Amino acid sequence: GEGPEAALDIDWLNMTIPFGAMILCLLVSLRFSLNLEGRLFIATVRAGLQVTLLGFILKPVFTLQNAGLVAALSALALIIAAREASTRCSFYFPYMWTCVLIGVSVPALTLAAVSTAFVIQVPTYWYAPQYFIPLLGMLIGNVLTAISLGLECALKNWAQAGPAGTALQWRLSLGASRWEASLPVIREALSVGLTPTLNNMTVIGLVSVPGMMTGQILGGSPPVVAAKYQVMIIYMIGGTASLGLVLTLLLSFSYLFDPQTHAIRPDWLVKRDRSAAAADRDLCGVLFRCVRSTFLYICCCCCRSDRRNTTTAVTGYGP
């Protein structure tokens, strides 16, 4: 028999209908005086533009199968994710962005590569963009949430702004080492950060059809194949969130606590309003350069490919 049909294309004019659904959010904000109209408008426009731009960028990336393009997009996604996770916390320390970047990058890249090379066993290259980039994006999105929640909990307690802050100082005053004093804080942060992932794993497939499975079914894949992909990604998400949060907390702990005195460095952990502005300016410059470089690289590759195809069509020979 015939296999499932491919997903139907959506007319751009018809996209105004789901856009109208966001008007309901705006009306709720106005009716209950939530003062979220500006944020809702920015989030709506930003989400639509980002996803649409991603679609146009991925089209030549999937066509060219270029390792440099895959690396550039992966690096850009990791940099943005690290920036988002670090700026969501109410406290900040000098090497925070580096800690978060390592915590996001190491598990996400490793498990995405394991998925494509050993689980899916892509017949061409393990970095085949139509497999590697979507998997990496899903892993990054989930580890970002885990790190944001867990790191916020730990920093509040280390700054004595949380319920465990006083107990930490009490343990240090009794002669406990920095690790012994911080272990309860790290445990609490891990529990807070991993709770959304565990909750999602508990109800997945029962309360809702998960995102990857939905996309594959709409794209024409058999439901059983889509279920296999979803099981793979949900397990990889759990591993990525756990390892990423542990790495981030341990790196933050090693930076914030003096190994000689076993006390937290008081000058390093500060409120976000005192240091976020300068950090955001620096990171915005980095992000702008990354986006510009990625765009120029994609344009060059597309032009080179078009020129090669034109030469082959005219002369009958390759370059």
Side-chain angles (χ1 to χ4, degrees):
E2 296 181 358
E5 296 181 357
L8 298 175
D9 193 8
I10 301 177
D11 188 83
W12 284 107
L13 183 60
N14 294 342
M15 292 297 296
T16 57
I17 299 175
F19 178 79
M22 293 305 300
I23 298 179
L24 298 177
C25 297
L26 181 63
L27 294 177
V28 170
S29 177
L30 292 172
R31 176 63 180 81
F32 292 94
S33 301
L34 302 179
N35 297 322
L36 296 177
E37 296 82 13
R39 293 176 59 186
L40 282 172
F41 177 77
I42 293 174
T44 301
V45 174
R46 180 178 172 180
L49 291 177
Q50 287 174 174
V51 176
T52 304
L53 179 62
L54 178 63
F56 284 109
I57 291 177
L58 290 182
K59 184 177 180 180
V61 173
F62 287 178
T63 303
L64 296 174
Q65 300 282 317
N66 187 284
L69 288 177
V70 176
L73 285 177
S74 301
L76 179 62
L78 292 168
I79 290 173
I80 295 175
R83 186 258 180 188
E84 288 293 325
S86 59
T87 55
R88 289 179 184 179
C89 298
S90 56
F91 289 88
Y92 179 83
F93 59 93
Y95 297 98
M96 182 174 175
W97 185 78
T98 303
C99 296
V100 175
L101 181 62
I102 295 174
V104 172
S105 302
V106 172
L109 290 173
T110 302
L111 293 185
V114 169
S115 299
T116 55
F118 300 106
V119 182
I120 303 175
Q121 294 184 346
V122 180
T124 53
Y125 308 101
W126 63 266
Y127 57 83
Q130 62 266 36
Y131 292 96
F132 185 79
I133 291 178
L135 290 174
L136 181 65
M138 297 185 71
L139 296 179
I140 290 175
N142 285 272
V143 73
L144 185 152
T145 301
I147 289 176
S148 299
L149 295 174
L151 191 58
E152 170 72 5
C153 176
L155 293 181
K156 279 187 175 181
N157 287 325
W158 282 333
Q160 304 181 50
T166 304
L168 183 145
Q169 295 298 327
W170 178 74
R171 286 189 291 270
L172 287 173
S173 65
L174 292 179
S177 67
R178 57 174 185 164
W179 174 251
E180 293 170 338
S182 295
L183 186 57
V185 174
I186 294 176
R187 285 173 176 164
E188 181 182 354
L190 288 171
S191 178
V192 170
L194 295 178
T195 295
T197 301
L198 296 178
N199 290 342
N200 188 33
M201 293 178 68
T202 302
V203 301
I204 193 170
L206 297 176
V207 178
S208 62
V209 180
M212 186 178 217
M213 188 173 179
T214 301
Q216 288 212 323
I217 291 175
L218 291 176
S221 297
V224 176
V225 175
K228 291 179 182 178
Y229 274 82
Q230 185 60 58
V231 171
M232 173 198 69
I233 194 62
I234 196 63
Y235 289 163
M236 290 299 182
I237 285 173
T240 304
S242 302
L243 181 57
L245 183 54
V246 168
L247 278 176
T248 304
L249 290 175
L250 292 181
L251 288 172
S252 302
F253 162 79
S254 65
Y255 276 123
L256 285 173
F257 283 83
D258 192 327
Q260 302 299 325
T261 64
H262 293 275
I264 193 168
R265 295 181 171 96
D267 299 337
W268 284 24
L269 191 56
V270 294
K271 275 283 190 180
R272 169 63 57 183
D273 55 0
R274 285 196 282 169
S275 57
D280 285 346
R281 283 195 300 269
D282 294 339
L283 286 176
C284 284
V286 173
L287 292 175
F288 174 76
R289 289 191 292 271
C290 290
V291 172
R292 182 182 61 183
S293 300
T294 304
F295 178 75
L296 292 176
Y297 188 78
I298 291 174
C299 291
C300 291
C301 289
C302 292
C303 292
R304 190 181 303 117
S305 178
D306 293 340
R307 189 163 54 248
R308 185 183 300 115
N309 294 337
T310 302
T311 303
T312 304
V314 172
T315 63
Y317 298 95

